[in-house]
Amino acid sequence: MSRDTVFLLGAARDTVFLLALILGSLVVPADNARPRIALATTIIKVPEANTSNFDAIQTSGPAVDLGVEHLRRTYAGTFNFSHTYLMDPSRPTAALLVDDVYNFAAKFLYANEDADSRAFLSPCAQEQTQILRLTKDRNKNILTEISSSPGAVDPTESYPQRFSLSPYPSPQSFTLIYALLLQNNWTNILGLVDTAFIEREYFSRGSRAVFKAQFNGKNPGLRYIRYHDLEYSSSHGYSAVEKTLRTVAETSRIVFLFGSGKSSLMVMRTAEKIGMTNGEYVFFMLTWSRYGFSIDSQNDSWWRVTDATADQPILLRGYVSRATIVISFRRPYQDTPRSPLRQLGRKFVETARQNYNHSYKDDQVPIFVYGAFEMYAVYGMLLNETYAQTGRILDGLELGSLLRNRTFHLPTGDVSFSASGERNIDIIGEVLNPVTGNYTTCLLFDAKAQKLAHLSDIATLWPSGLWPPPNEPLCGYLGNYCTASAQMSWSSLAGVSAAAVVAVTAFLLLLYRKSQQHVDTETWWLLGEPILMASALRSACMYSWHNCSNI
């Protein structure tokens, strides 16, 4: 090959490279030419030996990392994304940094003041509340709050700029419960709160917060339903549980269990023991999914009807127990061996090992981690779509309103949102079938239609067939029924005892008088008999002295 030929080939190659570089610069603008979107995630870092915490970066971090990567890859020609984790790595033993995150968020907003848009995309519920309070009166135009967390975020406030992709939306379960309460005229409800577990149980904690915020008598639209807390600690053993349950009769027959799987197990065992599962009460167990793992690894086949491998800190297990209704969410994903969901799960597993030296148990990725990834996918779609239509980046309030009542088509499946910005998930209620010993689905709440349907007749499955239990407490609204009954029972017992003493006394007196009549004619040793009788009478009078005044 001649020198001229080599020169021409080299020049052609350089020309092609230069043209590609120019065209590439036209397709992908420089960072300073693209709108900059600053993203932040509240997260915590826990010791590697304790990665079961759902807010830990080792657990949710893989979904966040892949989500940010997805945004950068998909919208590289339009936006310049940056990302910051809001956490304190120097304090790995802290369970939740609720106070610190307020300062983290303020620092993030200040450092990224020149960004074209700022958004908090996070799986942590309690921390979100602090951020939302920080931005409530200012920065609403630049904040978009997206959540994959199952917990309730400040149910007393309304935040239109926030929406949730949690596969376990507690507001949806509240809608089913409210419809059921109205249907059965239950206006007086009680929550048994296990203080030993409530703080670490996300769903129980969030549901209890919703109950306290909504059923407080201040909202006339809730028909004056009243909710009361009754606290106990399962760490004090079964005696504490029994003592608490014995006061339920004075408060309500409609009981919600807020705590852990262990709490529910202890309560229902005790309720069975003291006769409270005969249908006079209804106990509600609020779970994420009955077909999953549990927190306490209790090996009790009589109560457990789900998988025996159990070590995750979620109330996921259902118990074979009479007089209970188990409320849980339907799985939002259709998982098949070749589905994109399965491929995404493998990416989570690989990223966890590479970035965090973390392995999910048996490579089973918790379902909420998929929701954490989805929030980036939905956010990117909504951001890109509105920017193409309007030529500007919409603020958080605008994006939040456009997302509501809408369906998005994602690799994980279709995701639709309610009017309040929560993910639409169907909810089921199950009751124990006394014949088969398994739970039967009797209630279905259609999230899209917002309707409650009965799939089976609860009365045929309920203990004694008396459904529904009445609204009035067993002891009455004033607690006087049980007091009167107790007095009546005690008076009846005292009357029977007194009658028995009187009868015995009369019989002994008769024998005494008869012996006195024959004392002169009978043999002398009968003189000891009246003495023995008198001694017996004195003994009898010791237990019922008011019946012996004439003796």
Side-chain angles (χ1 to χ4, degrees):
M1 184 178 293
S2 65
R3 181 181 300 175
D4 293 339
T5 302
V6 173
F7 175 80
L8 290 174
L9 289 175
R13 182 190 60 195
D14 293 338
T15 302
V16 171
F17 178 79
L18 181 60
L19 288 173
L21 185 62
I22 294 173
L23 291 175
S25 65
L26 293 175
V27 175
V28 182
D31 286 348
N32 58 3
R34 292 174 292 162
R36 187 168 80 86
I37 314 296
L39 306 176
T41 301
T42 57
I43 206 79
I44 63 172
K45 184 177 182 179
V46 299
E48 291 185 3
N50 180 29
T51 51
S52 61
N53 191 306
F54 287 172
D55 291 339
I57 192 172
Q58 296 97 315
T59 305
S60 298
V64 175
D65 293 349
L66 290 175
V68 175
E69 179 185 321
H70 166 78
L71 291 178
R72 290 170 173 166
R73 183 180 64 252
T74 307
Y75 307 105
T78 309
F79 305 106
N80 173 28
F81 291 100
S82 62
H83 179 261
T84 304
Y85 278 115
L86 306 182
M87 65 176 182
D88 186 353
S90 65
R91 297 200 304 174
T93 57
L96 292 169
L97 303 180
V98 178
D99 297 329
D100 291 349
V101 78
Y102 193 96
N103 296 324
F104 292 158
K107 182 179 179 181
F108 167 79
L109 293 175
Y110 176 79
N112 293 278
E113 191 172 6
D114 60 340
D116 296 280
S117 181
R118 293 169 286 182
F120 292 93
L121 282 71
S122 176
C124 304
Q126 283 192 328
E127 289 83 351
Q128 287 173 357
T129 299
Q130 301 296 326
I131 294 175
L132 288 168
R133 287 172 179 166
L134 171 67
T135 58
K136 179 181 178 181
D137 299 323
R138 49 184 172 172
N139 298 327
K140 280 186 178 180
N141 61 325
I142 59 176
L143 173 70
T144 301
E145 170 60 42
I146 306 178
S147 166
S148 67
S149 171
V153 177
D154 200 358
T156 60
E157 297 285 348
S158 175
Y159 299 102
Q161 72 273 34
R162 175 196 174 268
F163 45 95
S164 172
L165 274 149
S166 169
Y168 309 113
S170 54
Q172 297 279 21
S173 63
F174 174 80
T175 309
L176 176 147
I177 292 169
Y178 179 57
L180 193 61
L181 295 177
L182 293 184
Q183 190 176 82
N184 294 298
N185 296 316
W186 290 333
T187 59
N188 179 39
I189 60 177
L190 174 70
L192 287 185
V193 181
D194 181 10
T195 56
F197 282 96
I198 187 68
E199 287 304 318
R200 73 185 78 171
E201 291 290 344
Y202 308 94
F203 187 53
S204 276
R205 186 183 67 215
S207 299
R208 180 201 185 193
V210 172
F211 275 47
K212 294 178 71 174
Q214 300 295 339
F215 297 139
N216 56 13
K218 297 179 181 179
N219 187 349
L222 295 180
R223 305 225 184 150
Y224 308 103
I225 295 175
R226 295 294 189 274
Y227 168 78
H228 308 277
D229 259 354
L230 196 57
E231 294 185 348
Y232 70 100
S233 177
S234 60
S235 62
H236 295 160
Y238 278 91
S239 59
V241 176
E242 181 173 343
K243 181 179 179 181
T244 304
L245 277 176
R246 290 191 180 279
T247 66
V248 171
E250 304 173 5
T251 310
S252 177
R253 302 194 200 212
I254 320 304
V255 183
F256 291 84
L257 305 183
F258 294 136
S260 67
K262 182 178 181 179
S263 304
S264 299
L265 175 64
M266 295 178 70
V267 168
M268 295 316 302
R269 275 180 166 168
T270 307
E272 181 84 21
K273 170 188 171 184
I274 62 179
M276 294 181 67
T277 59
N278 60 357
E280 292 181 330
Y281 298 88
V282 54
F283 294 88
F284 285 95
M285 299 181 189
L286 308 183
T287 72
W288 292 1
S289 170
R290 269 208 316 110
Y291 306 100
F293 303 103
S294 173
I295 182 175
D296 41 63
S297 302
Q298 294 289 332
N299 184 15
D300 191 325
S301 58
W302 190 84
W303 288 87
R304 187 175 61 252
V305 293
T306 54
D307 199 331
T309 58
D311 68 344
Q312 297 190 26
I314 328 172
L315 174 55
L316 290 177
R317 188 191 313 165
Y319 297 101
V320 183
S321 173
R322 299 187 303 159
T324 60
I325 295 182
V326 181
I327 295 177
S328 60
F329 297 91
R330 278 187 168 174
R331 184 178 175 87
Y333 306 112
Q334 297 298 322
D335 185 12
T336 61
R338 295 185 179 181
S339 69
L341 188 75
R342 188 67 62 89
Q343 299 175 20
L344 182 60
R346 286 194 287 267
K347 288 184 179 180
F348 289 152
V349 172
E350 294 172 1
T351 305
R353 290 172 179 167
Q354 293 174 3
N355 296 0
Y356 303 103
N357 193 30
H358 171 60
S359 296
Y360 297 108
K361 181 178 176 61
D362 300 326
D363 289 342
Q364 296 297 311
V365 181
I367 192 173
F368 73 91
V369 176
Y370 293 93
F373 174 82
E374 286 173 328
M375 66 184 176
Y376 291 91
V378 170
Y379 176 72
M381 293 175 66
L382 197 61
L383 184 68
N384 184 62
E385 174 188 294
T386 55
Y387 184 69
Q389 293 174 351
T390 65
R392 67 183 181 90
I393 298 177
L394 302 188
D395 61 43
L397 293 174
E398 292 172 311
L399 290 177
S401 62
L402 290 175
L403 176 139
R404 282 156 169 75
N405 293 318
R406 183 174 168 182
T407 300
F408 292 83
H409 305 288
L410 305 178
T412 53
D414 291 347
V415 174
S416 64
F417 291 89
S418 67
S420 61
E422 299 288 340
R423 183 183 198 138
N424 280 325
I425 297 291
D426 291 343
I427 306 171
I428 60 174
E430 298 172 282
V431 175
L432 178 66
N433 187 322
V435 177
T436 64
N438 295 319
Y439 280 107
T440 299
T441 301
C442 57
L443 301 170
L444 171 64
F445 182 76
D446 188 322
K448 285 188 177 180
Q450 293 287 297
K451 289 184 178 179
L452 175 64
H454 285 255
L455 303 182
S456 61
D457 185 6
I458 301 180
T460 61
L461 305 173
W462 200 247
S464 74
L466 300 177
W467 176 265
N471 185 58
E472 187 176 11
L474 196 66
C475 291
Y477 292 109
L478 299 177
N480 56 333
Y481 292 171
C482 290
T483 303
S485 300
Q487 289 176 345
M488 184 183 303
S489 300
W490 178 255
S491 299
S492 300
L493 180 63
V496 171
S497 300
V501 171
V502 170
V504 171
T505 303
F507 176 73
L508 294 177
L509 283 174
L510 180 62
L511 290 178
Y512 175 75
R513 289 171 182 172
K514 184 177 180 180
S515 64
Q516 286 288 82
Q517 292 174 358
H518 295 278
V519 67
D520 295 331
T521 57
E522 301 293 332
T523 55
W524 63 269
W525 56 268
L526 287 179
L527 290 174
E529 185 176 350
I531 299 175
L532 293 175
M533 293 298 177
S535 176
L537 285 175
R538 283 193 299 271
S539 298
C541 292
M542 291 177 63
Y543 298 97
S544 188
W545 54 84
H546 60 279
N547 291 316
C548 303
S549 56
N550 296 323
I551 296 179

